[in-house]
Amino acid sequence: MPGKDDTQRDEGTAARSRRRFPGLSSRAYEHPADRSALVALRKLSGFDTVFKALSGLIPERSLRLLFLSDSVRVSEEQFPHLHDMLRDACYILDMPKVPAMYVSQDPKPGAMCVGLDEPVIVLTTGLVELLDEEEMRAVVGHEAGHALSGHAVYRTVLLFLTTLAVRISWIPLGNVAVMAIVTALREWFRKSELSADRAGLLVGQDVQASMRGLMKLAGGNHLHEMNVDAFLRQAEEYEAGGDLRDSVLKILNVLPRSHPFTTVRAAELRRWAASRDFQRLMDGHYPRREDDKEASVTDAFRESAASYADTVRTSADPLFKLVGGATDRIRRGFNGSADNAGGGTGA
């Protein structure tokens, strides 16, 4: 990786100028719901102990050996353009270490970041063949964002528990207990995907490339047949819903998924790219990693509650309209109790 004061990028990266974010904290781009969950987990007493115990059950060594033996490790000698992109993404986000990255033979476009001790990024050949350079840069930045946020740990646990649920499905009530945890983790992970999309935009700094990549994930390599504005209108139509039956069906459709629907991701990313928060970040005003220990759990939950309340208030979904008043009352009650408590728990 280039040095801290080195403004030159690896050969093969985009020639256009892109801003770098020294000392960037992942809190700068994390979705409020994702951030509140992560801050709470990091502050939870005994959390590290539980995960260390659980790590003994998760075959991480086996996973690494599998990638090493049956995938292609990205390096200066293999997929050098992806190697340059990864180093560049880590340089832009000022990551302390460049994670390993592999390309795995799979015609279905996909990518993931897994690992307990050290994150590993895996791209499928279907994805590599589908995206152009700038679209792929956003995806590599997306996965680097997962690594910087520590999402790889929880994703690995989610994969393990999903497999475990299948294996113990014959045990009465055993599968129910595990699936309850899996469902909760999936809800968090869907929000973490929105965070990683933001990290991808910070790396690529090209919102149109990010939009194109998401459209291709939905409709394949047929850009001449697709239109960003029309694609975003699909998200508006989906979010507007119909009647209460459609609202319930949307919930049932999304429950088994680890990722939000593609049109929803595109709409969320476009909104963030147009926000004042994004502009301030691009102007150099953002949280630093050195201040992460001072992050307040209460402030994070307050932001999460405000985000959900805003989503409910502005949504055209019939179910959201129905619960909108109750959500505002809950948020006001939470803010009031937090203020009375003197601002909540800080590190």
Side-chain angles (χ1 to χ4, degrees), residues 224-246:
H224 63 289
E225 298 284 353
M226 294 185 281
N227 177 276
V228 171
D229 292 333
F231 189 66
L232 291 172
R233 285 197 297 272
Q234 287 182 226
E236 293 176 3
E237 183 178 343
Y238 171 79
E239 290 173 346
D243 55 22
L244 287 174
R245 289 173 299 177
D246 293 317

Side-chain angles (χ1 to χ4, degrees), residues 23-271:
L24 178 76
S25 167
S26 60
R27 292 180 290 120
Y29 60 80
E30 285 164 353
H31 187 280
D34 170 27
R35 185 165 61 246
S36 64
L38 286 178
V39 171
L41 284 172
R42 291 164 183 162
K43 299 281 187 180
L44 188 63
S45 177
F47 176 74
D48 289 341
T49 303
V50 171
F51 262 84
K52 284 179 181 178
L54 187 58
S55 67
L57 301 175
I58 299 177
E60 184 176 19
R61 279 181 171 271
S62 175
L63 194 64
R64 291 180 180 278
L65 288 172
L66 180 63
F67 292 140
L68 193 62
S69 64
D70 206 32
S71 300
V72 175
R73 183 164 58 191
V74 172
S75 66
E76 293 179 350
E77 300 172 302
Q78 302 187 113
F79 291 102
H81 72 292
L82 294 178
H83 182 253
D84 286 345
M85 282 187 194
L86 177 61
R87 288 170 57 85
D88 185 62
C90 294
Y91 176 68
I92 292 288
L93 299 178
D94 195 23
M95 293 175 62
K97 187 174 182 179
V98 180
M101 186 160 74
Y102 293 86
V103 174
S104 180
Q105 172 61 32
D106 186 342
K108 184 176 180 180
M112 64 178 177
C113 182
V114 295
L116 293 176
D117 297 323
E118 294 185 8
V120 174
I121 296 172
V122 182
L123 310 175
T124 68
T125 52
L127 185 72
V128 173
E129 293 163 4
L130 177 66
L131 304 182
D132 68 22
E133 182 178 3
E134 290 304 298
E135 295 156 6
M136 180 58 72
R137 189 181 306 284
V139 169
V140 172
H142 173 112
E143 298 305 326
H146 275 314
L148 183 59
S149 288
H151 291 160
V153 174
Y154 315 119
R155 175 63 186 270
T156 305
V157 172
L158 175 58
L159 290 173
F160 170 74
L161 290 177
T162 303
T163 303
L164 179 64
V166 174
R167 291 180 177 176
I168 66 172
S169 59
W170 58 274
I171 301 176
L173 299 181
N175 184 51
V176 174
V178 173
M179 285 308 299
I181 301 174
V182 168
T183 300
L185 277 172
R186 280 177 178 159
E187 169 60 18
W188 160 75
F189 197 78
R190 286 190 290 270
K191 295 300 184 291
S192 78
E193 285 298 306
L194 302 179
S195 298
D197 283 343
R198 295 175 177 186
L201 180 58
L202 291 181
V203 168
Q205 297 175 26
D206 182 346
V207 69
Q208 290 302 314
S210 294
M211 293 293 110
R212 291 198 310 269
L214 289 168
M215 283 199 306
K216 283 185 175 181
L217 288 177
N221 194 13
H222 303 281
L223 277 179
H224 63 289
E225 298 284 353
M226 294 185 281
N227 177 276
V228 171
D229 292 333
F231 189 66
L232 291 172
R233 285 197 297 272
Q234 287 182 226
E236 293 176 3
E237 183 178 343
Y238 171 79
E239 290 173 346
D243 55 22
L244 287 174
R245 289 173 299 177
D246 293 317
S247 299
V248 173
L249 288 172
K250 284 190 287 187
I251 293 173
L252 293 176
N253 284 340
V254 80
L255 278 178
R257 295 175 59 92
S258 62
H259 288 58
F261 293 115
T262 317
T263 58
V264 174
R265 291 172 62 184
E268 284 275 355
L269 187 60
R270 173 61 69 86
R271 279 192 288 268

Side-chain angles (χ1 to χ4, degrees), residues 275-290:
S275 71
R276 184 172 179 270
D277 288 342
F278 177 72
Q279 189 55 57
R280 281 182 54 80
L281 205 164
M282 292 301 296
D283 289 340
H285 305 291
Y286 54 83
R288 263 61 175 184
R289 281 196 295 273
E290 63 187 25

